Amino acid sequence: LYQKQSSAWFGAKSAFTLIENNIIFNLPRAAINFNDGFGGGNIVRKNLIWNTCRESGDHGPINSWDRLPFLTRYSDALSFNSQPTVITENFIFANYGAAQAVDNDDGSSFYRIEKNVFYLSDGFKMDYGKY
């Protein structure tokens, strides 16, 4: 199998995922990709990420999309609001085709990005989202 749009971790319709203590490098696209917001509650922490986006651009080593709201019970009541996804304590090199270390694109919402080290990066992007 030969895939150019692959990531080390790809999440779709998932919630409360822990991505921790990984070394991720040499990828054609983003290292971590959240396909949708679904229920949120994910934690991305203590990862070392570099040499991503080697054959792509317009995103970062951590990339997210959120084009469709989901009705879940992950909050105290039935809600379209996701729990926050926390991205913290990571060391991210945004080299090759990466612009931002974290690219919250296409309406991505409910992300808390804190205590990271970004190198060769424009920081992070919030494109059309909130929170």
Side-chain angles (χ1 to χ4, degrees):
L1 180 65
Y2 191 69
Q3 174 62 263
K4 291 289 188 174
Q5 291 294 321
S6 60
S7 295
W9 187 88
F10 177 87
K13 294 185 182 171
S14 59
F16 296 94
T17 303
L18 176 62
I19 305 166
E20 182 179 51
N21 295 326
N22 297 288
I23 299 173
I24 306 171
F25 62 99
N26 291 346
L27 294 165
R29 202 172 189 307
I32 297 169
N33 193 8
F34 293 97
N35 186 63
D36 50 60
F38 192 62
N42 305 293
I43 299 173
V44 180
R45 72 173 168 222
K46 298 183 180 179
N47 298 288
L48 173 60
I49 303 171
W50 80 95
N51 288 1
T52 64
C53 310
R54 293 174 63 172
E55 299 177 23
S56 57
D58 188 38
H59 56 88
I62 297 178
N63 188 48
S64 66
W65 305 305
D66 193 5
R67 300 178 183 125
L68 181 68
F70 291 93
L71 187 61
T72 69
R73 291 191 183 275
Y74 290 124
S75 298
D76 291 335
L78 200 60
S79 174
F80 284 108
N81 293 335
S82 297
Q83 295 295 306
T85 286
V86 178
I87 300 172
T88 187
E89 301 175 38
N90 299 286
F91 196 126
I92 303 172
F93 291 76
N95 56 341
Y96 282 93
Q100 303 85 16
V102 179
D103 182 2
N104 296 121
D105 206 357
D106 296 341
S108 294
S109 300
F110 306 104
Y111 283 82
R112 198 171 78 216
I113 303 165
E114 61 188 20
K115 301 178 188 171
N116 296 286
V117 175
F118 299 153
Y119 182 71
L120 297 175
S121 169
D122 294 340
F124 63 92
K125 177 175 90 176
M126 289 294 286
D127 195 9
Y128 313 118
K130 63 180 181 178
Y131 191 77

